Amino acid sequence: MSSESNPKVVLAYSGGLDTSVILKWLCEKGFDVVAFCADVGQHHEDFEAVKAKALNAGALKCVVTDLRKEFVTDYIFEALKCNAIYEGKYLLGTSVARPCIAKEMVRIAAEEGAGFIAHGATGKGNDQVRFEMCAQALDAKLQCIAPWRDAEFIESFKGRSDLLAYCTKHGIPVDAKPKSNYSIDENLFHTSYESGVLEDANETYEESMFKMTVSPQAAPETSTTIDLEFVKGVPVKLTNKTDGTVKTDPLELFMYANEIAGANGIGRIDIVENRFVGIKSRGVYETPGGTLLRDAHMDLEGICMDREVKRITEGMGIEFARLCYNGFWFAPEMDLIRYSVDYSQRDVTGTVTLELYKGNIIARGRTSPYALYNPDLASMDIEGGGDNFDYNPSDAAGFIRINAVRLKTYAALRAKTQELGGEKHNIREDGESVNDDGFPIRVMDI
């Protein structure tokens, strides 16, 4: 029963073992609990069953919000526009979902008059940081309860057996199926697998683990050819040229990209990454649609985007990924990057043709009304730049001389250092001349 004197908390609730125990534990601590479940495209989730379980465990209510379309348009596509990738491999499938969930959580807290939010993230992971940083950025008055950092809670629940015993005591239904040998986080962007047997960085995994993709070896023997159309860096149309399927709605487009990429064995990675809290973590991820769309977007930028703008936005993409991964989605520096990226995308409009085959994404062509690529200018069969460009190949000689000035200056310094005895030559077995630190010494004729 609700009491006017009881503090109210909004709990990020999945219906799993941990959050079900946390819900009941919060009730026992005197909180009125509003359970919140975000639909971000979890595979085959029964949200009515989740809602019933939350109410049975003592929640005042359970709010289920369908965030799938917002997740695609306001978060996934934002990451796509700057080709965001963390440490060269990870497409941020979990990271980019957290601000979407946190924003709705804060909205519900305001609507319900709750002064607290709570989550089931562990004290070793990134999610605790992401949820709480996003919440603080959106409503600094909210207080956060993190049971897996609470000494009393940790003392009471030292393992899965303690959690199960607590559920039995309080009549909370639990999944009778055996626990997987790893933990799973899933949404429509990706599925991630970590912990358990995967904590051994050299331990392999079974093919049956994957949910969104087939292995490249099991993919069809025939390829799938598609056209992907973008407007200002955002995908607006996907056409399957093999069977004629066309998708234009953002959510339907993304889900179909998942389907066809996954069916062709695209989007799997196995990495060891650096968590924000300083711990290295192994994760196995499948991100089929995201991998496909990012590949197409990068290809289109090649024909539409100025070289120096591309160089700068590549750095922005790395910073976007770092900020997103670390929980700074609603930070001012992230706003700066997103606004700048939007400007860079104003001419990234066109169509890319791709062939999908056994884990490969093969570019077959691209076209854009804003193409900077000029066939006459690039042609080896036309001496100048064609009718529209004044390009004289002989000008390249001066271009090379000017750009070589600093290289000649550096070479002269190295030669002078050698003459003064400041850099000793050693000869490696391969005949390379190196200094005492083992770095090559190259003296050019000047």
Side-chain angles (χ1 to χ4, degrees), residues 217-239:
Q217 294 90 335
E221 294 298 326
T222 56
S223 64
T224 302
T225 302
I226 65 168
D227 280 346
L228 264 167
E229 184 177 338
F230 292 80
V231 173
K232 295 185 177 180
V234 175
V236 296
K237 185 178 182 180
L238 192 163
T239 303

Side-chain angles (χ1 to χ4, degrees), residues 80-101:
L80 175 66
K81 283 190 290 187
C82 63
N83 306 310
I85 193 166
Y86 182 70
E87 296 188 336
K89 287 189 174 182
Y90 175 45
L91 293 183
L92 305 164
T94 297
S95 315
V96 80
R98 295 314 185 226
C100 179
I101 296 169

Side-chain angles (χ1 to χ4, degrees), residues 15-17 53 160 164 172-179:
L17 179 60
K53 188 172 184 179
R160 181 174 169 83
L164 291 170
I172 301 171
V174 294
D175 192 343
K177 293 185 294 185
K179 180 178 171 60

Side-chain angles (χ1 to χ4, degrees), residues 175-188:
D175 192 343
K177 293 185 294 185
K179 180 178 171 60
S180 299
N181 291 325
Y182 39 79
S183 68
I184 302 172
D185 179 76
E186 56 188 4
N187 57 52
L188 60 84

Side-chain angles (χ1 to χ4, degrees), residues 311-323:
R311 179 180 62 81
I312 292 169
T313 55
E314 283 178 348
M316 287 183 176
I318 293 171
E319 185 64 9
F320 179 106
R322 187 188 71 83
L323 292 172

Side-chain angles (χ1 to χ4, degrees), residues 404-417 423 435 439-444 446:
V405 167
R406 67 182 182 87
L407 304 181
K408 293 180 178 180
T409 304
Y410 180 75
L413 174 62
R414 297 272 63 81
K416 183 177 180 180
T417 302
E423 192 162 32
N435 62 19
F439 293 107
I441 299 172
R442 296 185 175 91
V443 181
M444 300 170 60
I446 56 174

